[in-house]
Amino acid sequence: MAASRGRLATVMATAALTAGLVGGCGAVHKAMDCVHTADTIADSVTDLQQAVENAAHDPGRADSALDAIEKNVRKIGDKTDDADVNKAVDDLNKAVGHVRTAIRNGDRTPDVGPVTDAAGELTKGCAK
């Protein structure tokens, strides 16, 4: 009887440890996805900056960069429940919207600073 209680305690402890490790791995995987996607967004922000600088030669490139940022921001927003990351996602979406509106209104050199700042905050949020 004592042996079976000991075995049961060992099994319970092993199950608890395994659950903790699996849960931890899920969190690590989620964080790595966030960091990877944030890195992709940073690349898209760089593309946006270059597109804005060359808007006279290729006005559609800025729209493509904005589309890429929005697509990747959605990926992060759909996968996270972190308040800081969600705030950064919201801020980035707003900044992208302002740049898109400026371009539609004929601004050939919209301020992309807020997009860059929000992308930086997103990266910080994912890395914590």
Side-chain angles (χ1 to χ4, degrees):
M1 185 82 149
S4 66
R5 277 192 215 148
R7 228 175 297 152
L8 179 60
T10 301
V11 169
M12 296 286 280
T14 302
L17 179 60
T18 302
L21 290 175
V22 170
C25 288
V28 169
H29 182 68
K30 194 180 225 183
M32 291 304 293
D33 281 349
C34 185
V35 169
H36 176 70
T37 305
D39 187 44
T40 301
I41 290 170
D43 290 343
S44 296
V45 170
T46 300
D47 289 346
L48 175 62
Q49 290 169 329
Q50 291 170 352
V52 167
E53 290 172 11
N54 299 313
H57 302 295
D58 188 3
R61 187 170 168 207
D63 267 339
S64 295
L66 290 168
D67 290 344
I69 293 169
E70 287 175 330
K71 176 185 168 196
N72 287 307
V73 168
R74 270 193 304 275
K75 285 182 189 176
I76 292 175
D78 291 345
K79 292 181 180 180
T80 188
D81 55 359
D82 182 275
D84 292 334
V85 173
N86 280 326
K87 182 181 179 334
V89 164
D90 290 344
D91 291 347
L92 188 51
N93 277 326
K94 286 177 191 170
V96 166
H98 290 300
V99 171
R100 193 179 295 279
T101 298
I103 290 170
R104 284 185 187 143
N105 289 337
D107 187 348
R108 293 283 186 195
T109 57
D111 181 13
V112 297
V115 174
T116 303
D117 293 345
E121 288 302 313
L122 179 61
T123 301
K124 286 181 200 174
C126 286
K128 71 173 188 158

